[in-house]
Amino acid sequence: MINLKRSIDKTEERIILFPQPNDVLCQTGKSTFEHEGNRYFRAIIEDKKASYQAAPDRRQKSLILEEVVQHILNRGGRFLKRKTNKDHWVVASLRDAKDKSSYAFRRWTLDDENEKF
């Protein structure tokens, strides 16, 4: 198991020119949506959606977010974000990775609620 703190929260920024298939890209757009790592990420979110929605408090939800991030890291993936006005990527912080996961759960919940109408 990969240590979340040690693997993501490094102070140095490694420049990444070409994201790998297991990477999750923290950016919007069609190419990002279709990236293999992002498709896999959405499948994990779908799989854990019921647990996340049933979580009784923020602490339990936070643990589920950490599971999602850990799952990507154990698979050899990284959470990457594009550097502003640059043509390269950098590894996102643990906070950014958890935020992306949290947003994905919230977005999925909103989509489910909108389908009811």
Side-chain angles (χ1 to χ4, degrees):
M1 182 176 258
I2 296 172
N3 184 315
L4 288 177
K5 287 283 185 198
R6 296 183 74 210
S7 62
I8 291 184
D9 284 340
K10 295 187 178 185
T11 54
E12 68 216 40
E13 283 190 351
R14 279 190 15 212
I15 293 174
I16 299 158
L17 297 177
F18 304 104
Q20 300 300 308
N22 289 341
D23 293 335
V24 175
L25 308 180
C26 300
Q27 180 177 310
T28 59
K30 184 177 180 183
S31 62
T32 300
F33 186 82
E34 293 175 350
H35 182 72
E36 183 178 336
N38 288 58
R39 287 195 313 260
Y40 187 79
F41 172 74
R42 287 192 305 277
I44 295 169
I45 296 295
E46 171 70 22
D47 186 54
K48 296 190 178 290
K49 180 176 65 168
S51 298
Y52 186 82
Q53 290 173 332
D57 55 34
R58 291 180 64 182
R59 174 75 178 129
Q60 291 299 314
K61 288 184 183 214
S62 182
L63 290 174
I64 294 168
L65 296 176
E66 288 178 13
E67 287 177 19
V68 170
V69 173
Q70 188 67 59
H71 193 95
I72 295 297
L73 297 177
N74 287 346
R75 187 172 184 251
R78 304 165 291 188
F79 285 82
L80 303 180
K81 63 182 194 176
R82 191 176 290 279
K83 217 41 185 161
T84 307
N85 298 326
K86 302 288 182 185
D87 59 351
H88 63 270
W89 299 84
V90 295
V91 176
S93 69
L94 174 59
R95 169 90 279 67
D96 288 339
K98 287 176 72 175
D99 284 349
K100 172 140 181 97
S101 302
S102 176
Y103 177 78
F105 279 118
R106 288 192 317 270
R107 180 70 194 166
W108 213 294
T109 301
L110 286 173
D111 288 347
D112 285 351
E113 288 174 2
N114 288 337
E115 286 180 8
K116 294 176 186 174
F117 293 105

